[in-house]
Amino acid sequence: DLHSFPTRRSSDLLYGANFTINKPLNIITNVNTRLVGNSVQPVFTINADDTTINGFTIENGADGVLINSASNVKIINSIISGDNGVAISNGENVVVKDTQIANSTNGIQVTGSRDTVIDRVNVVNSTKNGVYLKGSNGTVISNSLFENNGVDPYFSEANNILLDGNENTRIINNTINY
């Protein structure tokens, strides 16, 4: 079940992209297909366990990728911008790897999730937080770059990494520049 709303395609560019994934899928592009969302809904809403998004450039005024109560999801080799570049809500064993997230409000937001891995990710120019972890357990952030996040003076909680009520968080071998 991959639902999509009307879109307009131009070569390797898809405008108005909005997909809801309700069954396990591995979605891979070898040409770095650019998906431009409708600014209202996430480009990808993932409701299915065992799903992979690989190799896309995702741009949206709303979330780029929303992982909604799904397990064993991977976001890899992608370039993402959106309100939350990647939002993980009540997910388990989610991996965000080898991905660049830029120009978002929160680069990655993890809420109420378990065993999230953020590895070899560049999060740059997020106005609020590079990574915002809230009420999660077992998150690992490693080998990543966080640069120029949290610079908007109107957000009092603007940070490269913000931890709020988490357990067993490991932050290993990262570069953080402000």
Side-chain angles (χ1 to χ4, degrees):
D1 260 4
L2 177 64
H3 297 89
S4 177
F5 291 88
T7 58
R8 184 170 48 100
R9 185 177 175 89
S10 171
S11 183
D12 293 325
L13 174 64
L14 187 64
Y15 288 100
N18 170 250
F19 303 99
T20 298
I21 301 170
N22 292 319
K23 292 186 179 181
L25 285 174
N26 290 321
I27 303 172
I28 301 168
T29 179
N30 294 321
V31 294
N32 207 321
T33 300
R34 185 172 160 215
L35 304 174
V36 178
N38 60 22
S39 295
V40 177
Q41 301 157 306
V43 171
F44 286 105
T45 300
I46 301 172
N47 299 322
D49 297 344
D50 305 311
T51 295
T52 299
I53 305 294
N54 184 347
F56 287 90
T57 296
I58 298 168
E59 300 171 16
N60 200 16
D63 294 341
V65 178
L66 170 60
I67 301 165
N68 189 20
S69 299
S71 299
N72 304 314
V73 173
K74 294 180 183 168
I75 309 299
I76 54 178
N77 300 315
S78 294
I79 300 168
I80 304 171
S81 67
D83 182 29
N84 291 304
V86 176
I88 304 165
S89 179
N90 300 311
E92 190 168 334
N93 299 317
V94 173
V95 174
V96 181
K97 188 171 185 175
D98 297 321
T99 292
Q100 179 177 323
I101 300 171
N103 305 316
S104 298
T105 302
N106 289 304
I108 301 173
Q109 181 170 313
V110 182
T111 307
S113 297
R114 295 183 55 77
D115 302 323
T116 300
V117 174
I118 299 166
D119 186 43
R120 296 194 316 246
V121 173
N122 291 351
V123 181
V124 298
N125 299 326
S126 295
T127 55
K128 197 168 180 185
N129 298 293
V131 174
Y132 177 29
L133 301 178
K134 183 174 183 176
S136 294
N137 191 339
T139 302
V140 176
I141 303 171
S142 60
N143 307 305
S144 296
L145 169 68
F146 301 95
E147 188 166 73
N148 203 36
N149 298 297
V151 296
D152 190 325
Y154 298 104
F155 291 116
S156 62
E157 295 180 358
N159 303 278
N160 268 297
I161 299 174
L162 176 61
L163 306 175
D164 182 3
N166 300 283
E167 295 180 15
N168 304 314
T169 302
R170 294 185 302 153
I171 301 174
I172 306 163
N173 197 35
N174 297 285
T175 301
I176 300 173
N177 294 322
Y178 183 72

